[in-house]
Amino acid sequence: MDNTALARFITSLGSLNGYGSTLAQTKKALDLRSSQPLNQHGEDVAIFEDTLKGIAAVKEKGFSVDGIIAINSAFDSPSDEQPMRGKTT
C-alpha cells in the first residue's frame, strides 16, 4: 500500500498544531507502522497516533455525530492539545 496520500493528510492536519515531521518521515512511519521515524520532540508522535486512531474511529462508526464522538474519544495521547472531557472552567 502506498501511504503517500495519508502521510500528506497527517502532515497537513498536523501543521495546524506545530507538527514538525516531514512528509518523508511521516510516510516512513506509516510504512513501518512505527512512530520512531518522526521528530520525537513536541507533539508529532501524539498527532500521528491520534490521527490514525481518529481515522479508525470513522471507519468503525462513520462520519456522524457518533463518529465525531468516537474520534474525540480516540484522541487519548497525553497532550495539552486534547479536549478536556468532563471539566468545566
Side-chain angles (χ1 to χ4, degrees), residues 9-10 18 23 44 51-52 62 77-78 86:
F9 175 74
I10 293 170
L23 176 63
D44 288 16
T51 301
L52 294 178
S77 65

Side-chain angles (χ1 to χ4, degrees), residues 4-77:
T4 303
L6 182 53
R8 281 190 186 115
F9 175 74
I10 293 170
T11 55
S12 177
L13 178 68
S15 71
L16 300 172
N17 288 322
Y19 188 81
S21 296
T22 66
L23 176 63
Q25 287 172 302
T26 304
K27 183 179 181 311
K28 186 170 184 177
L30 290 166
D31 291 344
L32 296 175
R33 298 180 184 192
S34 168
S35 61
Q36 189 277 330
L38 303 175
N39 289 341
Q40 298 298 308
H41 304 290
E43 301 291 327
D44 288 16
V45 173
I47 291 168
F48 176 82
E49 291 176 353
D50 283 349
T51 301
L52 294 178
K53 291 174 193 170
I55 291 168
V58 168
K59 286 181 178 179
E60 182 180 327
K61 297 284 185 179
F63 197 69
S64 62
V65 172
D66 289 338
I68 292 168
I69 292 168
I71 291 167
N72 283 330
S73 296
F75 293 167
D76 61 0
S77 65

